[in-house]
Amino acid sequence: MFITTVTPRFGDMDFLGHINNTVPAVWFELARNPLWRIFVPDFSRSHQYWPLIMAHTDYDFIEQLYFNDDVEIRSWITCIGVKSFTVHQEARQKGRLCVKGNAVIVHYDFKNKQSTPLPEDKKKLLAEHMKPK
Amino acid sequence: MFITTVTPRFGDMDFLGHINNTVPAVWFELARNPLWRIFVPDFSRSHQYWPLIMAHTDYDFIEQLYFNDDVEIRSWITCIGVKSFTVHQEARQKGRLCVKGNAVIVHYDFKNKQSTPLPEDKKKLLAEHMKPK
Amino acid sequence: MFITTVTPRFGDMDFLGHINNTVPAVWFELARNPLWRIFVPDFSRSHQYWPLIMAHTDYDFIEQLYFNDDVEIRSWITCIGVKSFTVHQEARQKGRLCVKGNAVIVHYDFKNKQSTPLPEDKKKLLAEHMKPK
Amino acid sequence: MFITTVTPRFGDMDFLGHINNTVPAVWFELARNPLWRIFVPDFSRSHQYWPLIMAHTDYDFIEQLYFNDDVEIRSWITCIGVKSFTVHQEARQKGRLCVKGNAVIVHYDFKNKQSTPLPEDKKKLLAEHMKPK
């Protein structure tokens, strides 16, 4: 499990006085940073071999999120396939589960525009963050 | 069906030279503007009775979106329930279907913090935009 | 002069019921698309020679912008220097001037990390959009 | 002085492999959170008396910001006027000063749509964060 804490910004609220539904997508992406490090440990901007592409995301909005308090985001791996893996993420504020969601990420060769098998060593590193059943 | 056209912005691209996965969430929200008008035709900023809240969104990323060309977003209603309805949306670039997704929107009383039945007249207006099977 | 029209999105409003101050920065970037085309007419995602970098932006917030109406953005060139040029932009809603701002953009060689002189042919194309005094 | 640390998100980078110029506007807004607390210490979403409005922002882009490292944002007050105050902010990455900017914020009565004098007690609290000359 990875834990990331984010502080809401005034403009993250919309007119309804709660965090807009598009904002958790951005927070969840930020909370996946440690996963990028598994695949690209020595990330540098000249790197031409980013090996991941997003195939699917979903978000369930369970409780409203507000401006006042920090948000804790927990991220787990829930599925490791041949060419893709799934991340499950939860956003909590003051202990309340507010948003949960999934991202399906494909191991991808941008040059040849095709999915490729996940390397075994990466699978092992992902497996360390598997969500307990 | 509603059709909305958006023009990608330079910063909508990420390092991979394609539109970042969080951007279609923003575009789909924009493309739901005509639905807001069904419920709040004379929207003004002092309005305290916004009657809708987001319960779920999902996105399938089928093809990559790029900076160069406008994106056409089509929106349909696919389900009208007692207290909620579902919007299906598709983003196309140069005729290619790139992203499709759904939003489940609940008729909601923010004052009393509870979902409430969709009014019959609103159901009829939503039904005009039902996706053909 | 370039004219670009943008439609506000529900989430562009913040809690105060007006467009958040960070949003015009995004709209102004979008409205500079025609300027990018002067320098990179046949933009493609594999292009490694993007020749421009942002040196300065400023924004004066004159009137509040709201959700209800489209926003017209006008963009002019106000200064053409040896290695940089300045874009002046104005956002209007229902005829009211709401935001005005400037962007100073430098002709830049990303490979060698240094500014370079603006080519004469580009200067001529920029000059066609000079703001009348 | 207030210090806020932000972690760049993958999508904060644009195609050029650096942080897009619209992103520091969002980071600087986040870093002004402690200033909001001076005026609205017990912020709650039902609060109808938010007393501040943005009049001006500017940003100087000195060095490029990248994805790899956290960004430290320092915020000071540089001017306290009768009805407004100015915040100066700097973004540093690995010790390098990358962006600096200013925000002019007006004490404002949204109900009557007019600027109002800064209360003396708020001026004193702001003065504690004055930038040394």
Side-chain angles (χ1 to χ4, degrees), chain B residues 76-91:
Chain B
W76 298 266
I77 306 299
T78 50
C79 180
I80 302 174
V82 175
K83 296 179 171 182
S84 69
F85 61 97
T86 303
V87 187
H88 181 75
Q89 297 182 285
E90 297 180 354

Side-chain angles (χ1 to χ4, degrees), chain D residues 36-100:
Chain D
W36 307 153
R37 300 289 177 183
I38 286 178
F39 288 87
V40 190
D42 54 344
F43 180 82
S44 80
R45 74 191 177 93
S46 61
H47 205 288
Q48 299 176 28
Y49 302 104
W50 190 268
L52 300 170
I53 197 167
M54 187 64 66
H56 169 89
T57 56
D58 60 69
Y59 308 89
D60 285 313
F61 304 95
I62 298 157
E63 297 266 357
Q64 295 181 70
L65 287 156
Y66 301 113
F67 173 60
N68 237 14
D69 298 286
D70 280 1
V71 176
E72 185 197 79
I73 298 171
R74 301 180 189 177
S75 307
W76 298 266
I77 305 299
T78 50
C79 180
I80 302 174
V82 176
K83 296 179 171 181
S84 69
F85 62 97
T86 303
V87 188
H88 180 74
Q89 297 181 285
E90 296 180 355
R92 279 181 169 74
Q93 196 175 43
K94 296 180 86 170
R96 294 176 309 126
L97 174 60
C98 294
V99 184
K100 61 180 182 180

Side-chain angles (χ1 to χ4, degrees), chain B residues 8 13 66-70 93, chain C residues 37 40-45:
Chain B
M13 275 189 294
Y66 300 113
F67 173 60
N68 237 13
D69 298 285
D70 280 0
Q93 196 174 44
Chain C
R37 300 289 177 182
V40 190
D42 54 344
F43 180 81
S44 80
R45 75 189 178 94

Side-chain angles (χ1 to χ4, degrees), chain B residues 7-13 16-17 26 29-30 33 36-37 42-45 50 64 66-69, chain C residues 7-13 16-17 26 29-30 33 36-37 42-45 50 64 66-69:
Chain B
T7 302
R9 175 179 69 89
F10 189 80
D12 288 335
M13 275 189 294
L16 301 172
V26 170
E29 189 185 65
L30 177 65
N33 269 7
W36 308 152
R37 300 289 177 183
D42 55 344
F43 180 81
S44 80
R45 74 190 177 94
W50 190 268
Q64 296 181 69
Y66 300 113
F67 173 60
N68 237 13
D69 298 285
Chain C
T7 301
R9 175 179 70 88
F10 189 79
D12 288 335
M13 276 189 294
L16 301 171
V26 170
E29 190 185 65
L30 177 64
N33 269 7
W36 308 152
R37 300 289 177 182
D42 54 344
F43 180 81
S44 80
R45 75 189 178 94
W50 189 267
Q64 295 181 70
Y66 300 113
F67 174 60
N68 237 13
D69 298 285

Side-chain angles (χ1 to χ4, degrees), chain B residues 1-15:
Chain B
M1 182 175 66
F2 299 107
I3 293 185
T4 304
T5 301
V6 295
T7 302
R9 175 179 69 89
F10 189 80
D12 288 335
M13 275 189 294
D14 60 28
F15 182 43

